[in-house]
Amino acid sequence: MTQGYKFGTLAVHAGAEPDVSTGAVIEPISLSTTFAQKSAAKPVGSYEYSRSSNPNRDSFETAVAALEGGKYALAYSSGSATTANVLQSLAIGSHVVSIGDVYGGTHRYFTRVADSHGVETTFTNDISAELAGLIKPETRLIWIESPSNPTLTITDIASVANIVAEVRATRAESQPLYLVVDNTFLSPYVQNPLRLGADLVVHSVTKYINGHSDVVMGVAITNNEVIHEKLRFLQNAIGAVPSAFDSWLAHRGLKTLHLRARAASHNAQAIAEVLESHVGSSVVAVSYPGLKSHPQRSVVQRQHRDGLGGGMISFRIRGGAAAADKFCQETKLFTLAESLGGIESLCEVPAVMTHAGIPREKREESGVYDDLIRLSVGIEETDDLVHDVLQALEKAAVVN
Ligand SMILES: Cc1ncc(COP(=O)(O)O)c(C=O)c1O
């Protein structure tokens, strides 16, 4: 039912047909691990064993594929399991090029797991400028996140996709080169990388897609049949699949993605503007893709739906590490916690929390200073959130 409908209609209806046997409008949770067969190797329906496929996982995958504008989606037990499956699809001796400030867990997988399986990764802090020079004959994947975490740097996906397409045009089919975009930070509502030329999109469903901070899950979406076949094989062979219950919950969460993503963007825009008005006093700098001052605002306008900035903000508070910690303790509506993309607002200090594993010098090279605060803006009332940020700023910032 994906033909001609807009995002919100697809979110509610894709993969959500009434149950054929009972008429239930909401699909039942199918807990059975195995499915009866009429005769040997002839299942009654289309299911045999729940690791290989399951009705709730299928429905979720159908819905996400529709929302990302892809033919195929494959769900996993976490965003990290998704990354692992994609990397497992590469042969020994393969090479990957990644943005430097990729999600820490992905960086860890590249450098401490894939590396020991014979897959080498080169990191770059300016992928648009340096990519062409970094691609080698054995390069198989280009891995980007836009915006990046936590500095919210934007990569021009279409321009990277063009470079990838040019190199691919010179290669034999046996030497593929694919562009992977981790779209976790924006969700399929704000950005659809497949439409910008990416070959594969991955998400930590744990964040915006589920949106209620109660499921850990991941998903990969593609239009490419070769990629799909490879990943589908590995999804079953590795078996890092989500439960029927988690698939059902994530599908329920996804039905309101358009409403949540719009509300979070609207709130984040208001907060970012207020924070920006304090630059020079209690705030050192603000990074938010919805601000006119964002250095890649023109790319944002091209690549995000309606030029939305998304729900993530990072800003530097005046007063160093102590002020950043105090700000997060003083907020009443923003809970001090890792993760993002839920209906409730969160704040964190990346230097000592999500990015603590990166040595200071490297961290600061990519803009992650001790005074940087990351906000995941939820869908509470705008005025209440703005008020909360202002009162915490007043108590925490050290202004001379
Ligand atoms: C951008 C990004 N990708 C992938 C992941 C990994 O997802 P998960 O925690 O579901 O394994 C995260 C987790 O924070 C993330 O922020």
Side-chain angles (χ1 to χ4, degrees):
M1 61 104 13
T2 59
Q3 299 300 316
Y5 291 109
K6 291 192 174 161
F7 192 97
T9 309
L10 291 175
V12 173
H13 290 287
E17 308 296 329
D19 184 57
V20 280
S21 57
T22 63
V25 170
I26 297 302
E27 186 182 30
I29 302 174
S30 181
L31 293 174
S32 187
T33 54
T34 190
F35 296 82
Q37 312 212 0
K38 283 184 279 202
S39 59
K42 295 268 180 302
V44 173
S46 44
Y47 299 100
E48 284 174 43
Y49 184 60
S50 201
R51 166 164 43 77
S52 310
S53 63
N54 163 284
N56 300 109
R57 199 173 89 206
D58 272 8
S59 303
F60 171 77
E61 289 174 346
T62 302
V64 180
L67 299 188
E68 271 295 11
K71 268 197 223 156
Y72 312 104
L74 294 160
Y76 299 89
S77 54
S78 66
S80 305
T82 314
T83 304
N85 273 254
V86 173
L87 270 289
Q88 280 288 323
S89 70
L90 301 181
I92 293 175
S94 298
H95 174 244
V96 176
V97 179
S98 167
I99 56 161
D101 50 354
V102 69
Y103 166 62
T106 306
H107 188 275
R108 180 176 55 205
Y109 197 89
F110 285 148
T111 53
R112 295 174 61 186
V113 185
D115 192 54
S116 55
H117 295 167
V119 173
E120 183 213 348
T121 305
T122 303
F123 297 94
T124 164
N125 286 330
D126 189 354
I127 198 144
S128 300
E130 294 178 359
L131 180 59
L134 293 173
I135 295 175
K136 315 187 213 182
E138 54 281 13
T139 308
R140 293 287 171 267
L141 293 185
I142 312 302
W143 191 287
I144 61 178
E145 285 169 27
S146 180
S148 66
N149 171 24
T151 55
L152 307 177
T153 305
I154 300 288
T155 298
D156 185 336
I157 297 174
S159 98
V160 172
N162 279 340
I163 299 170
V164 170
E166 272 169 27
V167 175
R168 192 159 45 206
T170 66
R171 288 187 172 187
E173 252 176 55
S174 57
Q175 314 258 293
L177 178 66
Y178 296 129
L179 173 60
V180 184
V181 178
D182 183 333
N183 201 23
T184 298
F185 260 52
L186 287 181
S187 90
Y189 181 74
V190 181
Q191 175 171 273
N192 295 126
L194 296 178
R195 298 200 169 107
L196 299 165
D199 300 291
L200 181 68
V201 174
V202 295
H203 282 275
S204 168
V205 170
T206 318
K207 313 301 183 322
Y208 285 101
I209 292 182
N210 177 63
H212 294 73
S213 308
D214 50 13
V215 169
V216 173
M217 235 173 98
V219 72
I221 308 105
T222 185
N223 279 313
N224 183 309
E225 210 166 319
V226 176
I227 298 178
H228 172 246
E229 281 309 314
K230 244 187 192 176
L231 291 184
R232 175 123 186 72
F233 171 79
L234 289 171
Q235 183 196 38
N236 182 50
I238 296 173
V241 290
S243 70
F245 185 51
D246 281 354
S247 302
W248 186 92
L249 273 176
H251 191 182
R252 181 171 73 164
L254 162 160
K255 291 177 186 176
T256 54
L257 175 59
H258 52 304
L259 305 176
R260 291 186 283 104
R262 278 202 289 256
S265 266
H266 174 79
N267 284 344
Q269 184 73 37
I271 293 168
E273 285 173 10
V274 163
L275 285 171
E276 193 169 48
S277 72
H278 286 72
V279 171
S281 55
S282 48
V283 172
V284 178
V286 186
S287 178
Y288 179 65
L291 289 176
K292 284 194 195 95
S293 59
H294 191 287
Q296 293 113 358
R297 178 67 192 151
S298 59
V299 181
V300 170
Q301 269 163 327
R302 263 186 279 131
Q303 101 184 1
H304 295 190
R305 183 189 302 270
D306 303 330
L308 290 174
M312 302 300 296
I313 302 173
S314 59
F315 73 99
R316 295 181 62 193
I317 191 168
R318 194 161 304 280
D325 187 17
K326 185 153 172 60
F327 175 91
C328 292
Q329 290 181 43
E330 291 294 346
T331 48
K332 298 192 166 49
L333 295 173
F334 286 78
T335 303
L336 175 52
E338 295 188 5
S339 201
L340 60 120
I343 51 172
E344 66 291 313
S345 294
L346 302 178
C347 60
E348 68 123 354
V349 183
V352 289
M353 294 173 69
T354 48
H355 293 63
I358 308 172
R360 172 184 294 275
E361 201 182 303
K362 272 197 114 101
R363 230 188 329 105
E364 294 191 346
E365 244 173 55
S366 58
V368 185
Y369 297 97
D370 290 352
D371 56 9
L372 190 77
I373 295 169
R374 187 185 82 179
L375 302 178
S376 169
V377 181
I379 64 165
E380 301 93 332
E381 294 289 343
T382 315
D383 293 351
D384 290 337
L385 292 180
V386 168
H387 180 259
D388 196 31
V389 165
L390 284 175
Q391 65 81 25
L393 202 55
E394 197 171 312
K395 287 181 187 141
V398 181
V399 185
N400 299 320

